[in-house]
Amino acid sequence: MENSKSLRTWLDDFKLTHPLVIAGPCSAETEEQVMEIAHELKNSDVSIFRAGIWKPRTRPGGFEGVGEIGLKWLQRAKAETGMLTAVEVANAQHVKLALEHDVDVLWIGARTTVNPFAVQEIADILQNTDKIVLLKNPVNPDLSLWLGGLERLHNAGIKKLGVIHRGFSTYEKTKYRNIPEWQLAIELQNKFPDLPLICDPSHISGRRDMILEVSQQALDLNYDGLMIETHCHPDEAWSDAAQQVTPDALKRIFIDLRIRKTTDEADDYNQKLGILRTQIDEIDSKLLEILGKRMLIADKIGALKKEKNVAVLQNQRWNEILGKMVLEGEQKGLSEEFILKMFKAIHQESISHQEKVFKTDN
């Protein structure tokens, strides 16, 4: 699969003056609920109305969706509001039923993206479809798995493709439900700059009070659209109540979001930007030089440990370094999350250097 301007054709055809917005309830619960939300979103920035029909739950016993009957409610919503409709599909049967009910957009969820067999099954039944097909990132931060799913869909002759960034699961406790790992989505964007990239701030944040913040971050990174879960009575929602916003709150988010220009042609902007980027380039070079020197010292420590038959990993020393760096980093305006990631990477590289020293002959 190669990048092509044609990847954007389906998005360009909307002729929007704002980012694409896909919104609607996490789950279709009743016909009345679906219609109420759809009519509240009519004549807003929402172009595509979403609703979960089949809900893959982590453990059995929870609400797993209303099933096929919900597709009829979406048909009615489309007829009365003019919005396109979107549902998540996880297998061939879901796809078959969605197509029979004229669903316009199909998305493949994170739990399905991790399974190449399931993605291939969906790709096979969608062979050469003219429907829009969106692929969420896998649950774990694996770019190859995400790209692999995309390639399977592309190889099936599906022309209207896009990806949804919904964050990644983690054992660590953070302010996010699913950590964004923005760099991974940016890497995909760099490989396919014309492939529509949509952010799902509902699943990244897990909290309605963070939807605006995450949405703005996505737009600042040139994302093409947003998928936001919306419910008229979110606290009463049958699934994911905490991350859904009311239609009025969603409309307020549209007003508060700032849409950035991709660039500015003014000479003073480009001159100032060039100077600042040169400064960053110089600092980056110095960072690499310093890290190289640090690893040379790690090599010497490894040689000393080898000589004295001391284990490579010293947890007490590592925890002391980490605590100290977090405190110093905060004083310099660096987040704890960034410091932890950076020094864990540096520590792992130091361990690798010392392990190589241990493997060398005396």
Side-chain angles (χ1 to χ4, degrees), residues 9 25 39 58 60-61 71 74 84 102 120 132-134 144 156 173 192-193 211 226 239 253 272 279 289 330 350:
T9 301
H39 280 284
T58 302
L71 295 170
L74 288 181
L84 301 184
D102 198 28
Q120 189 63 57
I132 298 169
V133 182
L134 306 176
S144 294
K173 185 177 180 180
F192 299 102
I211 299 294
L226 303 167
S239 59
I253 288 171
K272 291 175 182 176
Q279 292 173 358
E289 184 178 348
E330 288 177 349
S350 295

Side-chain angles (χ1 to χ4, degrees), residues 4-283:
S4 168
K5 293 290 183 184
S6 63
L7 291 172
R8 299 191 65 80
T9 301
W10 70 264
L11 181 58
D12 293 339
D13 286 344
F14 279 94
K15 295 181 169 56
L16 299 173
T17 57
H18 54 77
L20 177 71
V21 180
I22 304 170
C26 173
S27 300
E29 300 165 359
T30 67
E31 185 171 9
E32 292 73 22
Q33 172 244 17
V34 168
M35 297 310 302
E36 181 184 11
I37 299 169
H39 280 284
E40 285 287 336
L41 297 178
K42 182 182 178 181
N43 300 323
S44 71
D45 284 353
V46 178
S47 298
I48 302 172
F49 182 70
R50 59 144 288 156
I53 302 299
W54 302 280
K55 301 301 297 179
R57 312 315 296 174
T58 302
R59 299 178 66 181
F63 174 60
E64 296 185 339
V66 296
E68 182 179 353
I69 191 173
L71 295 170
K72 299 182 186 300
W73 307 341
L74 288 181
Q75 281 184 300
R76 180 183 166 195
K78 178 179 178 179
E80 294 187 14
T81 68
M83 289 185 290
L84 301 184
T85 56
V87 299
E88 178 179 350
V89 292
N91 56 47
Q93 181 64 12
H94 290 171
V95 174
K96 180 176 179 292
L97 290 171
L99 295 179
E100 287 176 358
H101 290 82
D102 198 28
V103 172
D104 303 285
V105 180
L106 310 178
W107 84 81
I108 299 171
R111 288 181 174 89
T112 307
T113 304
V114 300
N115 184 347
F117 292 107
V119 176
Q120 189 63 57
E121 176 184 321
I122 293 170
D124 290 342
I125 199 169
L126 283 172
Q127 189 92 23
N128 297 316
T129 185
D130 63 350
K131 300 292 186 180
I132 298 169
V133 182
L134 306 176
L135 182 72
K136 283 197 173 185
N137 62 255
V139 173
N140 49 312
D142 187 334
L143 181 59
S144 294
L145 202 54
W146 201 1
L147 289 171
L150 192 63
E151 289 165 348
R152 290 176 188 278
L153 297 170
H154 180 266
N155 291 343
I158 301 169
K159 304 298 183 186
K160 299 178 182 179
L161 286 172
V163 290
I164 302 173
H165 174 209
R166 51 79 79 189
F168 303 90
S169 296
T170 176
Y171 287 113
E172 297 177 6
K173 185 177 180 180
T174 74
K175 67 177 183 178
Y176 301 104
R177 176 182 177 183
N178 295 292
I179 54 175
E181 297 287 3
W182 296 105
Q183 187 54 46
L184 194 143
I186 290 169
E187 191 173 342
L188 185 145
Q189 189 180 45
N190 288 337
K191 290 178 181 292
F192 299 102
D194 290 300
L195 180 73
L197 174 60
I198 296 165
C199 181
D200 179 349
S202 302
H203 279 88
I204 287 177
S205 66
R207 293 165 37 188
R208 65 177 67 102
D209 64 329
M210 287 179 62
I211 299 294
L212 174 60
E213 173 191 335
V214 176
S215 296
Q216 187 63 65
Q217 284 180 276
L219 296 188
D220 290 347
L221 293 169
N222 295 322
Y223 280 50
D224 298 292
L226 303 167
M227 176 183 272
I228 300 177
E229 293 186 350
T230 314
H231 197 295
C232 289
H233 311 284
D235 289 330
E236 301 172 14
W238 296 3
S239 59
D240 287 347
Q243 66 190 40
Q244 299 190 66
V245 297
T246 64
D248 284 343
L250 182 65
K251 293 170 186 175
R252 171 54 58 183
I253 288 171
F254 295 155
I255 294 171
D256 292 342
L257 283 173
R258 296 192 63 185
I259 311 301
R260 313 291 187 185
K261 298 181 292 184
T262 55
T263 188
D264 190 311
E265 300 300 327
D267 290 340
D268 65 327
Y269 164 80
N270 287 302
Q271 183 180 12
K272 291 175 182 176
L273 184 64
I275 292 171
L276 293 171
R277 283 177 171 170
T278 298
Q279 292 173 358
I280 285 214
D281 290 344
E282 291 175 355
I283 291 172

